[in-house]
Amino acid sequence: MAAQINPSILSADFARLAEEAKAVEGADWLHVDVMDNHFVPNLTLGVPVVESLARATDTPLDCHLMIEAPDRWAPQYVEAGASSVTFHVEAATAPVRLAREIRAKGARAAMALRPATPVEPYEDLLPELDMLLIMTVEPGFGGQAFLDIMLPKIRRSRELISKHGLELWLQVDGGVSASTIERCAEAGADVFVAGSAVYGAEDPSGAVRALRSKAEKVIAEASWACNH
C-alpha cells in the first residue's frame, strides 16, 4: 500500500501560495486548513482562496474544515475546486447526510476527530466515508508537538476499518515529521499531513519524498497492511 503525503499550506507563506503550491508538486495532495475562529481559536482562509488555489495548481486540494456549521459550508468547498473535503464530526449536525452530499458533488468525503473524540461511537458511519482523519494535535495551530497518546486511537481506527473490509484512507494531522511518521504508519495511518516538516525544509519536494519513503518502508512490513 502506498503512503500519501499532504503538505499543509498552514505552514506556507500565505503571500506566495501559488509558488508554495508549485514547490511541492510531487505531493499527493495539498492540505488546506480552513479555520473560522469559532470551532478553533484561529482564522485562516475561505472559499475565495480555495478557488484561486485550485486554479494555480494541478495538485488536488484536500480541504480540512475546522469550522462551525460544516453542513452549510462544506459543499461550497467542493464547488470551489476541492477534491476532498473533511468535516469535523463534533461540528456536523448530520454527518451521514453531509458525507453523501460531498460525494454526490464529486469529491471524497472525510470525517475528522479531535484528540478527545473517540472513534468507536462512529463505527457505523465509516462506510459513508472515503477517509478518516485522526488529529494528533489539538486543531487550530501549526507547529505543535505530536501527541503520542493518539497512537492507540490510530490502531483502533485501523482495526475498525479492517473489521468492515473498507477501502478507507486513514489520515493523521499534527506534528507529523521525519521523527514521528514511522510510528503513525506502524499504527495504521496511510495518509500524512505535514506542515513545518515540509515547508520548513530547504527543499520542500525533497522533504515530501523523504517522508513518503519512510512511511512506505514501514507500511510494507506492517501487520495491518499485510492483512489488508
Side-chain angles (χ1 to χ4, degrees):
M1 295 177 67
Q4 299 185 66
I5 305 299
N6 300 15
S8 171
I9 64 166
L10 187 62
S11 297
D13 182 347
F14 274 31
R16 302 169 51 250
L17 283 185
E19 296 169 53
E20 296 282 62
K22 286 182 170 60
V24 293
E25 283 185 336
D28 299 280
W29 297 77
L30 195 62
H31 190 80
V32 182
D33 288 306
V34 177
M35 306 182 192
D36 64 356
N37 203 32
H38 293 285
F39 182 71
V40 292
N42 198 2
L43 185 64
T44 55
L45 45 81
V47 170
V49 175
V50 171
E51 287 178 338
S52 297
L53 200 53
R55 291 193 298 268
T57 180
D58 292 327
T59 305
L61 303 184
D62 167 32
C63 282
H64 177 192
L65 307 184
M66 288 169 270
I67 62 174
E68 291 183 351
D71 304 74
R72 173 186 177 189
W73 295 107
Q76 294 187 35
Y77 284 89
V78 183
E79 294 165 6
S83 297
S84 177
V85 176
T86 302
F87 60 88
H88 269 266
V89 72
E90 303 92 349
T93 302
V96 171
R97 183 175 65 198
L98 179 54
R100 290 180 178 180
E101 186 173 1
I102 291 169
R103 281 174 152 181
K105 286 184 173 290
R108 295 178 64 86
M111 184 175 76
L113 304 178
R114 300 180 84 146
T117 303
V119 65
E120 288 80 5
Y122 303 103
E123 179 178 352
D124 292 343
L125 274 65
L126 298 182
E128 301 288 342
L129 305 170
D130 297 295
M131 183 169 72
L132 177 66
L133 166 55
I134 303 300
M135 292 298 300
T136 44
V137 298
E138 284 294 343
F141 295 93
Q144 297 184 63
F146 179 80
L147 294 174
D148 284 279
I149 56 171
M150 290 298 104
L151 291 170
K153 183 175 174 181
I154 297 169
R155 291 192 183 93
R156 293 195 303 273
S157 299
R158 175 53 68 185
E159 288 167 3
L160 291 177
I161 292 168
S162 298
K163 172 184 172 182
H164 293 281
L166 301 173
E167 294 293 329
L168 183 65
W169 296 349
L170 183 54
Q171 184 181 65
V172 289
D173 179 3
V176 175
S177 67
S179 63
T180 61
I181 195 168
E182 291 168 314
R183 279 175 277 163
C184 295
E186 189 277 330
D190 54 4
V191 184
F192 307 87
V193 177
S196 52
V198 170
Y199 280 111
E202 279 190 29
D203 177 9
S205 288
V208 168
R209 292 192 297 271
L211 289 169
R212 187 186 290 118
S213 176
K214 276 180 171 286
E216 288 185 341
K217 285 178 183 176
V218 173
I219 290 173
E221 299 177 0
S223 58
W224 66 264
C226 295
N227 295 332
H228 187 78

